[in-house]
Amino acid sequence: MEQDIYDEMAKQEGQHWWFVARRKYVQKLISKYFPPDSKYRVCEIGCGTGGNLEMLSQLGCVDAVELNESARQVAKSKEIKNVLGVCSGYLPDGIPLTEKYDGVFSLDVIEHVENDLEAVKALKSLIAENGRLIVTVPAYQWLWSAHDEVNHHFRRYSKKTFLELFDSAGLKIRYVSYFNSILFPLALLSRITEKISPNKTATKTWGVKYPSVWVNALLKKIFEIESIWAGKFSIPFGLSIVVVAELEKSDYL
């Protein structure tokens, strides 16, 4: 991504509706798949400026990997308890971690990687026996927009193509669903409007900028509703997709 997007992310990730509500959604998945009576070793691949590290630190010890140097320094500066380190690295073949992890998290990252199959295989290599992998990506190639271009995405996914990716990597799916579904009609209208009348002056931080306080609060409340059913049943449409995966038994027998 462009440097100014990381800069904007650092400023907004604590209160912007999308970051806050996505964390709440992922937190609900964590509560389902990581029983609270245990301490875990987890990692986040592509941690950005560290907006998820406080949440992940509640599980136990955390290792984090981030390619962008300034984003990495912001994440380090937070000095979050239980975060053992934030190191330089990238998918698929630049991950310096040698441990196996109970939880591997990569949230809206693999769409930035040209070889996504090798990226998922690299994530798989980090999973410990009985560990879990949680990955999120943007949904639907036909929703491609200026947001994807300025964020240097290679693709968006359908549920079918996302599942095929994990199947090709030899991972077992525990849960898959679209999410950010309630706001889907609003986003669809926005994309249609953009295609009809493209905004030639779209900024490089398009899609991350903070809206008015009341709009931000409203969008956050709407998106947060979805945490109620996270991990319980699969939603047939939405702006994003989440997968919870684990190793096949044959990988550690």
Side-chain angles (χ1 to χ4, degrees):
M1 296 190 296
E2 300 292 342
Q3 182 58 50
D4 52 358
I5 294 179
Y6 283 108
D7 295 340
E8 193 71 18
M9 184 187 301
K11 292 187 292 184
Q12 306 297 353
E13 64 184 355
Q15 60 270 2
H16 189 283
W17 66 272
W18 187 84
F19 292 111
V20 174
R22 186 188 65 170
R23 279 196 296 273
K24 186 168 183 178
Y25 184 92
V26 173
Q27 180 66 63
K28 188 62 178 288
L29 290 175
I30 287 173
S31 68
K32 178 176 177 61
Y33 291 102
F34 296 86
D37 56 347
S38 299
K39 286 294 183 182
Y40 301 94
R41 184 76 184 269
V42 304
C43 67
E44 183 178 16
I45 307 302
C47 71
T49 52
N52 302 315
L53 295 180
E54 179 67 38
M55 171 183 69
L56 296 178
S57 72
Q58 305 305 307
L59 286 168
C61 296
V62 185
D63 288 318
V65 175
E66 171 55 45
L67 173 62
N68 183 271
E69 181 178 359
S70 66
R72 197 165 61 246
Q73 293 307 317
V74 171
K76 287 181 178 180
S77 71
K78 296 179 178 181
E79 298 183 340
I80 299 170
K81 182 181 179 182
N82 293 335
V83 175
L84 302 182
V86 183
C87 61
S88 176
Y90 55 90
L91 288 169
D93 54 2
I95 301 300
L97 304 179
T98 58
E99 300 285 338
K100 297 290 186 179
Y101 296 89
D102 305 303
V104 179
F105 297 82
S106 194
L107 308 178
D108 289 85
V109 172
I110 66 169
E111 68 271 17
H112 298 274
V113 182
E114 186 170 8
N115 193 330
D116 55 351
L117 177 56
E118 291 304 310
V120 174
K121 287 180 178 178
L123 295 173
K124 175 186 176 181
S125 72
L126 298 170
I127 306 172
E129 183 175 338
N130 299 317
R132 302 275 163 69
L133 168 66
I134 296 182
V135 180
T136 63
V137 291
Y140 301 126
Q141 188 64 29
W142 52 267
L143 281 179
W144 187 270
S145 71
H147 171 81
D148 298 284
E149 293 174 5
V150 300
N151 282 279
H152 296 183
H153 292 173
F154 281 96
R155 70 199 70 79
R156 300 174 72 95
Y157 293 85
S158 67
K159 181 179 175 181
K160 180 177 182 292
T161 59
F162 205 37
L163 288 175
E164 287 173 347
L165 182 64
F166 281 76
D167 183 61
S168 296
L171 284 159
K172 178 181 177 181
I173 301 299
R174 288 295 303 273
Y175 176 72
V176 59
S177 180
Y178 288 96
F179 69 104
N180 198 358
S181 304
I182 301 174
L183 292 171
F184 183 81
L186 184 62
L188 180 58
L189 178 61
S190 174
R191 297 298 197 273
I192 292 172
T193 301
E194 181 185 327
K195 289 181 183 297
I196 294 173
S197 181
N199 181 3
K200 302 295 185 181
T201 61
T203 68
K204 289 185 177 182
T205 54
W206 190 92
V208 181
K209 278 192 168 182
Y210 193 80
S212 66
V213 174
W214 73 268
V215 170
N216 189 70
L218 177 62
L219 293 175
K220 181 170 72 72
K221 286 292 185 184
I222 292 173
F223 190 175
E224 285 181 338
I225 292 171
E226 299 192 25
S227 65
I228 296 172
W229 56 73
K232 294 181 178 178
F233 51 88
S234 184
I235 304 301
F237 64 90
L239 295 172
S240 298
I241 310 173
V242 62
V243 154
V244 181
E246 60 188 20
L247 298 176
E248 296 281 1
K249 294 295 184 183
S250 58
D251 289 320
Y252 52 82
L253 286 180

